[in-house]
Amino acid sequence: MPTSAVPLLRIERGEVEEGIQRGHLAAVDAQGTLVTSQGDPSRLTYFRSCAKPFQAIAALRTGIVERFGLTAEHVAIMCASHSGEPRHVAVVRDLLAHAEIDESSLQCGTHWPYDEAAASVVRREMTEPLAVFNNCSGKHSGMLAAARVLEAALASYLEPSHPVQQRIRQVVEEFTGCAAADVIYGIDGCSAPNAAVPLSAMARSFAQLVTSDDDAARTAVEAMTTHPFLIGGTKRFDTALMEVTNGRLLAKGGAAGAHCTADRRSGRGLALKLEDVDGTWVSVAVMAALAGLGWLTPAEQQALDRFAHPTLRNHKGLEVGRVTAV
C-alpha cells in the first residue's frame, strides 16, 4: 500500500501554527537505487518544469547546436524557468534568430516577467505581455529549432504526435527507466505535453542526467551549471543553489511543489513533491533534505540560509511569521 504524505513544512504566524504542508521525497544513488525516502516514493508526479533538461536533450540530439551555431547560453535557456529579465529575453531572442524562427511561432502563452523590476519596466512600455517573457520560452525555442532541423511542421510542434514530442517521450523513458505504458501525460502550463512518473523515477532521472556519458546530457548539465543565472534569475533558489555550490549541485524546480536536485560528485538524485500545489516554500523542504543527505557544506548552508529559513511578511513589510522544515 502507498505511504501517505508526511509533514515537511510548518507555517507559523506569531506563536500559532497556521498550517502544515505535507509531501514526499525520494533519493537514489548513482545506479538509481532508492537510498532514502519520506512519504510515498512511488507517488505519481508530473515533472512540470523539472522535465526541461530532458526536453532540451531531445532537441540537442537533433543536432541544433551544430546546425545553428548555438552556444552554452542558448542551451541553458532551453533548460530554464527564467524570470523574464532582460538577459533572459535577449538569449531567447538570439536563439530564435540563430534558428531563423520568428518569435510569433512560440505557443507557450504569455505572462509578465516574474522579476518585479523587469516587469515594471515592460509594463510601462506595452499593454500586453510577450511570449518571450514566458518562463518556458527558452524550452519552446529549442523545440522549434529541433522541428526545423527535422523538417517537421512548426505550427504543430506541441502536438503529442509531433516528431519533437515523440523524441522527448523517448528521452523521458530512457532517463527514468520507465516503460512507455507506465508514463502518463498531461498538458503543462505552457501547453507542452508533460510526463508523470513515480517520484523515485524522477530522482533516478536526475541521477542518470549527471552521470550519463551521452553528449547531449553532458551539454545540458554543463550549460545549466555554468550559466545558473539563466536557469532562474535574480533571487531564484535554483540559481543560488548552483552558484553557491559552484555547479556541484544541479537543480531544477517545477510548478505544483515539484523539485529535483542532483549531486554531480556522488551521482545521487533527489526528487521532492509537496502535496499543496502552492510550491512557494519548496526551497525550505529541499534545503532540509540536502542538509540531511550531507550534500551541502556548513558554509554553503549558511550562504543559502534565506531559502532554508524564510520569514513571512505582510503588505507593510512587517515580519509576522516563519516557515520551517518539520
Side-chain angles (χ1 to χ4, degrees):
M1 293 292 292
T3 306
S4 60
V6 298
L8 293 181
L9 301 178
R10 177 180 293 111
I11 297 93
E12 297 172 301
R13 185 176 295 266
E15 302 304 317
V16 176
E17 180 180 279
E18 194 164 45
I20 290 287
Q21 285 195 5
R22 291 173 166 79
H24 316 266
L25 68 84
V28 302
D29 63 19
Q31 289 71 48
T33 302
L34 189 69
V35 293
T36 190
S37 66
Q38 292 186 27
D40 182 9
S42 67
R43 203 275 196 194
L44 192 65
T45 306
Y46 278 110
F47 268 93
R48 302 301 298 266
S49 283
C50 301
K52 285 176 176 172
F54 308 106
Q55 293 163 322
I57 287 170
L60 292 170
R61 286 179 175 176
T62 67
I64 59 173
V65 169
E66 298 78 12
R67 171 75 175 273
F68 301 122
L70 302 185
T71 67
E73 288 193 334
H74 295 132
V75 176
I77 209 71
M78 288 166 55
C79 301
S81 296
H82 65 76
S83 291
E85 295 171 72
R87 183 60 185 156
H88 299 131
V89 174
V91 176
V92 171
R93 283 178 162 156
D94 194 53
L95 195 169
L96 290 169
H98 274 68
E100 298 183 349
I101 296 170
D102 191 271
E103 63 186 72
S104 63
S105 297
L106 292 169
Q107 296 180 29
C108 51
T110 66
H111 62 68
W112 295 109
Y114 288 161
D115 180 74
E116 293 181 6
S120 66
V121 171
V122 295
R123 281 179 185 272
R124 292 194 295 268
E125 299 173 347
M126 58 191 72
T127 58
E128 297 293 335
L130 304 176
V132 287
F133 299 159
N134 189 303
N135 75 98
C136 298
S137 59
K139 173 183 80 175
H140 282 250
S141 298
M143 291 177 179
L144 284 165
R148 172 138 289 176
V149 170
L150 296 172
E151 299 183 352
L154 299 188
S156 58
Y157 76 95
L158 294 182
E159 292 295 325
S161 59
H162 193 278
V164 171
Q165 300 304 328
Q166 289 297 309
R167 285 170 176 257
I168 291 171
R169 285 175 176 254
Q170 293 170 5
V171 173
V172 169
E173 293 159 20
E174 174 186 343
F175 281 81
T176 61
C178 294
D182 296 329
V183 184
I184 297 175
Y185 280 84
I187 301 299
D188 211 341
C190 66
S191 297
N194 196 260
V197 299
L199 192 64
S200 58
M202 285 178 64
R204 187 183 309 122
S205 70
F206 269 71
Q208 175 70 8
L209 178 63
V210 297
T211 57
S212 175
D213 58 5
D214 174 74
D215 288 341
R218 287 183 172 182
T219 297
V221 169
E222 286 301 320
M224 292 177 70
T225 54
T226 303
H227 300 284
F229 174 78
L230 294 177
I231 303 305
T234 304
K235 298 181 181 179
R236 295 283 296 279
F237 176 53
D238 290 348
T239 291
L241 187 56
M242 290 188 281
E243 286 178 342
V244 168
T245 61
N246 293 313
R248 188 185 74 254
L249 296 187
L250 180 144
K252 188 69 197 74
H259 195 280
C260 292
T261 320
D263 182 1
R264 299 175 70 192
R265 176 179 52 193
S266 66
R268 292 189 170 195
L270 167 70
L272 187 145
K273 166 67 177 174
L274 294 179
E275 285 294 335
D276 187 332
V277 294
D278 177 7
T280 301
W281 307 115
V282 70
S283 69
V284 181
V286 174
M287 285 293 297
L290 295 177
L293 290 166
W295 290 11
L296 293 172
T297 68
E300 290 167 346
Q301 291 184 56
Q302 183 176 3
L304 294 163
D305 187 69
R306 65 191 184 279
F307 296 104
H309 302 100
T311 57
L312 296 177
R313 297 185 182 276
N314 67 10
H315 295 298
K316 288 182 64 177
L318 300 176
E319 183 176 334
V320 296
R322 65 202 64 82
V323 182
T324 57
V326 176

